[in-house]
Amino acid sequence: MSKPRPSDRHDAPDPDDTFEEIVDEATQRDPDLAVIEAGSRTLRAHSGQPQGEAAPARPADPETDQALRAVEQELAGRWGETKLEPSVTRIAALMDVLGEPQRAYPSIHITGTNGKTSTARMIEALLNAFELRTGRYTSPHVQSITERISLDGSPIEPERFIETYEDVKPYVEMVDAQQPYRLSFFEVLTGMAYAAFADAPVDVAVVEVGMGGTWDATNVIDSTVAVVTPISLDHTDRLGTTPAEIAGEKAGVIKQGATVILAQQPVDAAQVMLKKAVEVDATVAREGMEFGVTSREIAVGGQLLTLRGLGGEYTDIFLPLYGAHQAHNAAVALSAVEAFFGIGAEQARSLDIDAIRKAFASVLSPGRLEVVRSSPTVVLDAAHNPAGAKAAADGISEAFSFSRLIGVVGTSGDKDARGLLEAFEPIFAEIVITQNSTARAMDVDELAAIAVEVFGDDRVQVEPRLDDALEAAITLAEEEDEYAGAGVLVTGSVITVGEARLLLGRG
């Protein structure tokens, strides 16, 4: 963490002197970033001194459930989330015929590779704590499609989801008829979210990109705050094969004059983001310089944090989530909300500490190192790329004292399965390879072959059905008395985790 900023004190030096100090710091950190940061405004130069249910179940009413399934089926008939025609032409056309609902409220736009959904949930909880009505749009869902659109911290009611779909459907069909390609599954859902937020109405929308940024369907909003969570390699066939290339796509969410909350990044990714900030005269706050995690310690059910925000230090914050990565997500979320309220650039004050503590203590993030069963302990984590797997492995090693950990892994076919397995290899005593029920799932035999290369044949068991895999892993965890402290981690895909959550009675 950096020392208290000069502008936090009553004897603050001249802004030009402060700016020279920033350039000097940047030069000392990395010479290649110095020129970029000199041209980019940073919050250091301007600054002074309730969450809802986790994941909904199917509707209890049979008629509502049937109607929701009909909507899901219609949406499933469109291009899936992995088939893309990279442009915002169709979603812009839909927004136009809907009357530009996305401009009815300010928004916070979140991109990055890992941590987007957890960060969005934290931002939402913080805004709710200050009595703002929120709309949150995230993807993919863990159990129910309605999770993707949340109002005031809770997933949209199934009846309202169905009603919103029926409201936008005629306009969707109108756009379909005018475009070379029909609107995709994700584009229709994005239009539904923006329409639902305008109808609510919300005070602010918290929007997570689906993929990338520049041509992502969500990128028809003019967000005042852009959040960039850590960038690593994922979707390399569409976004690029290096962090810099991927950052180039994700930088598209940074709008003219916006504030950018930049989590710690690989240097080449940071360079791209800062160059973009220069181009659009955006203000940048960087983790580790303008904000960050001052301290953290393990606590029962989570961790206790001290965070340095744009407006000062926030102490004794309990976060009921595990892992250092969630602490960093919390610092990013806090700074994003401060920036939304103008703290750092326009106001020299801190947010109410009691509201901050209450908000963070309420945060839920299903499928992110989530404990869903005891005796033996079963943990779910939606890690689906090597960086996410490394964070999950570090988090579970730190927060749980398992004497023996069994992995249940089912990945999607387009992911770096070897990299993910290698990240988990040091913490798994044995691994059960499986697959989820979707067409995107990697073939169980193909995944098992990779697992044998990584773990060795004697540590790998194969169970094509997820329910059988869960039972096998629990049996392995329970099989010997000496392993009374054994646990199970289910991971590899959001879909695998969602299906496991239902099988384990959390739906």
Side-chain angles (χ1 to χ4, degrees):
M1 277 302 302
S2 57
K3 296 180 180 179
R5 294 163 287 202
S7 51
D8 287 334
R9 304 192 304 264
H10 294 298
D11 59 339
D14 182 81
D16 290 336
D17 294 335
T18 305
F19 187 72
E20 291 302 320
E21 180 183 322
I22 298 166
V23 177
D24 183 60
E25 281 191 7
T27 305
Q28 292 176 23
R29 277 200 311 145
D30 187 278
D32 293 333
L33 295 182
V35 175
I36 302 168
E37 294 190 0
S40 171
R41 295 181 298 134
T42 75
L43 280 173
R44 179 187 295 259
H46 297 268
S47 55
Q49 251 309 9
Q51 190 77 339
E53 61 188 276
R58 297 297 309 184
D61 178 61
E63 290 186 8
T64 302
D65 187 52
Q66 185 177 2
L68 181 60
R69 290 185 188 279
V71 171
E72 290 171 326
Q73 186 172 3
E74 287 189 26
L75 289 169
R78 295 179 172 275
W79 274 5
E81 290 173 281
T82 59
K83 186 173 183 180
L84 305 166
E85 192 280 313
S87 77
V88 294
T89 302
R90 291 172 303 282
I91 188 66
L94 179 60
M95 292 296 99
D96 182 52
V97 297
L98 287 175
E100 304 290 346
Q102 82 282 15
R103 306 199 191 284
Y105 38 79
S107 56
I108 297 174
H109 207 176
I110 306 170
T111 189
T113 302
N114 291 308
K116 296 188 296 294
T117 298
S118 292
T119 302
R121 285 177 170 272
M122 293 178 195
I123 292 172
E124 174 187 53
L126 288 164
L127 292 169
N128 288 159
F130 291 97
E131 300 184 351
L132 292 180
R133 292 211 68 192
T134 56
R136 172 172 53 83
Y137 182 52
T138 53
S139 61
H141 57 274
V142 177
Q143 286 179 203
S144 171
I145 194 171
T146 59
E147 294 168 39
R148 294 176 180 239
I149 304 173
S150 288
L151 296 172
D152 292 328
S154 295
I156 190 171
E157 292 294 330
E159 295 84 356
R160 194 165 188 174
F161 184 92
I162 296 163
E163 180 183 336
T164 302
Y165 176 75
E166 295 299 336
D167 285 345
V168 305
K169 183 177 178 180
Y171 300 97
V172 168
E173 292 173 345
M174 185 187 308
V175 173
D176 283 344
Q178 297 170 346
Q179 299 292 326
Y181 304 101
R182 296 171 71 215
L183 286 153
S184 69
F185 168 89
F186 187 73
E187 288 169 332
V188 175
L189 275 174
T190 301
M192 289 172 59
Y194 290 158
F197 297 162
D199 186 60
V202 302
D203 297 314
V204 55
V206 182
V207 179
E208 173 190 335
V209 302
M211 187 185 300
T214 301
W215 42 259
D216 187 74
T218 62
N219 201 29
V220 289
I221 52 176
D222 293 321
S223 53
T224 56
V225 178
V227 175
V228 186
T229 65
I231 291 172
S232 59
L233 300 183
D234 200 6
H235 301 295
T236 53
D237 55 331
R238 297 176 178 87
L239 301 180
T241 57
T242 67
E245 290 177 351
I246 293 171
E249 292 293 341
K250 294 182 182 293
V253 305
I254 302 174
K255 303 297 169 48
Q256 186 72 34
T259 300
V260 184
I261 305 299
L262 192 63
Q264 291 180 339
Q265 305 290 346
V267 170
D268 56 347
Q271 288 177 319
V272 172
M273 289 292 170
L274 291 164
K275 284 180 181 177
K276 176 67 174 184
V278 171
E279 293 169 6
V280 299
D281 195 28
T283 302
V284 180
R286 300 151 294 176
E287 184 180 6
M289 297 191 74
E290 284 73 44
F291 70 92
V293 180
T294 300
S295 67
R296 56 183 293 269
E297 56 185 273
I298 306 305
V300 176
Q303 51 192 312
L304 192 65
L305 310 175
T306 296
L307 302 177
R308 174 69 183 179
L310 306 178
E313 193 165 80
Y314 300 80
T315 61
D316 298 325
I317 295 171
F318 175 69
L319 181 68
L321 302 175
Y322 301 106
H325 59 296
Q326 294 291 16
H328 290 286
N329 289 340
V332 169
L334 173 61
S335 297
V337 172
E338 287 183 309
F340 180 78
F341 286 126
I343 294 173
E346 301 168 10
Q347 303 177 44
R349 66 180 180 89
S350 297
L351 295 175
D352 180 73
I353 185 62
D354 290 333
I356 296 297
R357 288 170 180 158
K358 181 178 179 181
F360 276 120
S362 74
V363 171
L364 301 172
S365 196
R368 276 74 179 179
L369 289 181
E370 178 189 22
V371 178
V372 293
R373 172 185 163 148
S374 57
S375 300
T377 299
V378 177
V379 183
L380 308 179
D381 192 87
H384 54 273
N385 55 45
K390 177 65 166 59
D394 289 346
I396 203 165
S397 298
E398 174 186 78
F400 300 87
S401 55
F402 292 127
S403 57
R404 184 167 180 251
L405 184 63
I406 310 300
V408 175
V409 179
T411 69
S412 294
D414 59 345
K415 299 298 180 181
D416 179 4
R418 180 180 296 276
L420 181 140
L421 292 173
E422 288 174 345
F424 282 123
E425 191 276 333
I427 69 167
F428 287 162
E430 296 183 61
I431 186 171
V432 181
I433 296 299
T434 189
Q435 66 185 65
N436 58 57
S437 64
T438 68
R440 290 182 58 195
M442 177 175 282
D443 177 75
V444 69
D445 292 328
E446 181 181 352
L447 183 58
I450 299 172
V452 167
E453 293 176 4
V454 173
F455 286 84
D457 186 67
D458 59 332
R459 293 167 64 194
V460 178
Q461 183 170 332
V462 180
E463 295 290 349
R465 288 170 50 106
L466 181 56
D467 55 350
D468 292 337
L470 291 171
E471 184 176 346
I474 290 169
T475 299
L476 286 170
E478 293 176 329
E479 66 182 2
E480 294 183 40
D481 290 341
E482 65 179 291
Y483 294 127
V488 173
L489 175 63
V490 184
T491 189
S493 162
V494 176
I495 299 165
T496 300
V497 163
E499 292 183 355
R501 206 171 187 274
L502 284 169
L503 288 167
L504 293 164
R506 294 303 291 262

